[in-house]
Amino acid sequence: MIHTQDITGLILAGGRGSRMGGVDKGLQSYQGMPMALHSLMRLAPQVGCAMINANRNLAAYEAMGVPVWPDNLPDFAGPLAGLAAGLERCETPYLVTVPCDCPRFPLDLVERLAQELVDHDADIAMAATPQDGKLRTQPVFCLMKTSLLGSLLEFLHSGQRKIDVWTAQHRCIDVRFDDAQAFAGANTLTELQQLSS
């Protein structure tokens, strides 16, 4: 069993927000609060400590009360760059990540990922939801061993950025969550309005 105190939570808010017209997604309002704050409030009770990965508006994120770390790679290098920034500063054996734009993920997300990670002796446990009769992985909802940092840095320094290519190099377990809507995100302003309605 993995204890909550051994897991650090990381909110990934370092994206360019290009599909939302370049706005900072994590700071967009959902039910009167920034989306990243919703994610933080859902994640914090599930982990020992939390932090945020962001690349702009750092003061706004710092006001949420947890450490904020930008990417070490330039040009908004994607979720893996945020993951690397989190792993480099993680002081617990495990790190779990959630994106800033999915404010309704399950309240037992971390507990279930941790259980499956242990049961299958895996390096990474990733949420997966049913879609069109198949299981679709949600790779930014994942729990991993902090010891994977070296592998990730090597992957990034080789110029690669695709999260599923990197995770495929490790023992990965998909953890089924039947409520796909809980993982609905807001990549566009229209999707944000749909979430709010």
Side-chain angles (χ1 to χ4, degrees):
M1 187 59 210
I2 301 172
H3 289 287
T4 303
Q5 295 306 315
D6 288 333
I7 304 173
T8 297
L10 176 67
I11 312 286
L12 295 168
R16 202 189 294 268
S18 44
R19 282 182 285 178
M20 213 178 254
V23 300
D24 194 332
K25 274 201 297 192
L27 298 179
Q28 298 309 298
S29 181
Y30 169 71
Q31 296 181 348
M33 266 187 338
M35 277 201 290
L37 187 55
H38 279 279
S39 293
L40 179 61
M41 289 170 67
R42 281 185 98 75
L43 187 62
Q46 303 187 47
V47 295
C49 59
M51 51 189 174
I52 297 172
N53 161 244
N55 289 312
R56 49 191 172 154
N57 303 309
L58 301 188
Y61 285 107
E62 284 165 358
M64 296 178 189
V66 296
V68 178
W69 302 107
D71 294 351
N72 291 325
L73 293 169
D75 301 326
F76 299 93
L80 282 183
L83 194 49
L87 281 173
E88 285 179 318
R89 297 188 173 77
C90 185
E91 295 177 6
T92 57
Y94 299 92
L95 178 76
V96 66
T97 63
V98 299
C100 66
D101 61 348
C102 295
R104 302 185 303 201
F105 60 84
L107 295 171
D108 62 350
L109 173 77
V110 179
E111 180 187 344
R112 290 183 55 194
L113 292 177
Q115 188 63 57
E116 295 287 330
L117 188 90
V118 170
D119 287 353
H120 293 88
D121 191 26
D123 299 314
I124 301 170
M126 200 180 290
T129 53
Q131 187 179 32
D132 303 325
K134 289 191 293 236
L135 263 193
R136 176 174 174 245
T137 58
Q138 306 280 351
V140 285
F141 289 94
C142 67
L143 172 72
M144 68 190 60
K145 295 177 178 173
T146 310
S147 56
L148 297 178
L149 173 61
S151 153
L152 179 55
L153 291 178
E154 196 175 304
F155 182 81
L156 288 168
H157 290 311
S158 74
Q160 301 191 74
R161 298 286 182 266
K162 290 203 176 301
I163 194 165
D164 49 353
V165 175
W166 177 69
T167 56
Q169 298 176 4
H170 300 282
R171 285 176 312 202
C172 224
I173 181 75
D174 292 344
V175 182
R176 182 184 175 114
F177 288 84
D178 285 323
D179 183 8
Q181 277 307 107
F183 294 89
N187 278 311
T188 65
L189 290 169
T190 305
E191 287 175 357
L192 178 58
Q193 286 163 350
Q194 288 167 348
L195 270 188
S196 301
S197 58

